Amino acid sequence: MRKPKTMERYFFIIIAGVIGGMLANRFHIPGGAVVGAMLCSGMTSLLFSGVGISPRVGLAVQIMLGVFLGMTFDRSFFTVAAKALPLAILSTLCLLGISITMAWLASRLGIIDFSTALFGFSPGGMSGMAVLAQTEGHNAALVAFLHMFRVFTLFLVVPLLAKIFMHWRM
């Protein structure tokens, strides 16, 4: 059996992601389309070793995501954002404290070096933190894995928590 070419691999991964996203959305899985697409495309990409996304494609996807999120802003955003800013600052400081503690613990136990662990346990986006880690000479793949695990877990747990707390609140 012949090995699929790179473009065929991309096609299979994209199709798997679309199907996974549609199925997860259809069956009301928390995080829906995003979680389903990530899981199915991730599992499919594991079948094809050596498939990576070019930096240009990754940049284009990040720009499209930024445009999509930017389009959700309206004037009411500023009123809420101004009120939430002090809590956002406090949250950031708390998360950084936890990140430093976790990185120290991971390095102390000999699991990961402190700097890689700090990039991996710090709040932030998976791609951004992985790129920063790589730029600084640390293990970008491990940083991406730690963030991916966090994102998958949060995508599954946070919608459930929101439903539970909204039920109690009413």
Side-chain angles (χ1 to χ4, degrees):
M1 181 177 206
R2 75 174 182 80
K3 184 177 178 181
K5 295 180 182 174
T6 302
M7 290 308 291
E8 290 172 335
R9 294 176 188 180
Y10 285 138
F11 178 75
F12 289 134
I13 292 168
I14 291 168
I15 293 300
V18 169
I19 291 170
M22 292 171 70
L23 286 172
N25 189 55
R26 169 72 175 96
F27 292 107
H28 307 289
I29 293 174
V34 174
V35 170
M38 283 194 292
L39 288 174
C40 287
S41 63
M43 288 187 292
T44 304
S45 73
L46 289 174
L47 297 173
F48 303 116
S49 62
V51 174
I53 294 180
S54 75
R56 285 185 179 176
V57 172
L59 177 63
V61 170
Q62 289 177 36
I63 289 171
M64 287 188 294
L65 179 59
V67 169
F68 171 76
L69 293 173
M71 290 173 63
T72 65
F73 287 22
D74 63 18
R75 292 189 188 274
S76 67
F77 165 80
F78 295 107
T79 305
V80 175
K83 291 177 184 175
L85 185 59
L87 291 175
I89 292 168
L90 179 61
S91 172
T92 301
L93 293 173
C94 290
L95 290 171
L96 282 173
I98 291 168
S99 300
I100 291 167
T101 302
M102 294 301 296
W104 175 82
L105 185 60
S107 68
R108 187 84 170 142
L109 294 173
I111 299 170
I112 311 170
D113 69 276
F114 179 82
S115 295
T116 298
L118 186 58
F119 281 101
F121 292 132
S122 289
M126 175 174 32
S127 58
M129 294 305 283
V131 168
L132 279 173
Q134 185 172 20
T135 302
E136 296 294 320
H138 305 293
N139 188 336
L142 184 55
V143 169
F145 168 77
L146 293 171
H147 281 277
M148 182 183 67
F149 180 81
R150 176 181 51 85
V151 168
F152 281 152
T153 303
L154 292 174
F155 274 24
L156 293 172
V157 172
V158 169
L160 295 172
L161 290 174
K163 287 179 184 177
I164 290 168
F165 285 109
M166 286 303 293
H167 178 72
W168 282 349
R169 189 173 175 204
M170 300 178 120

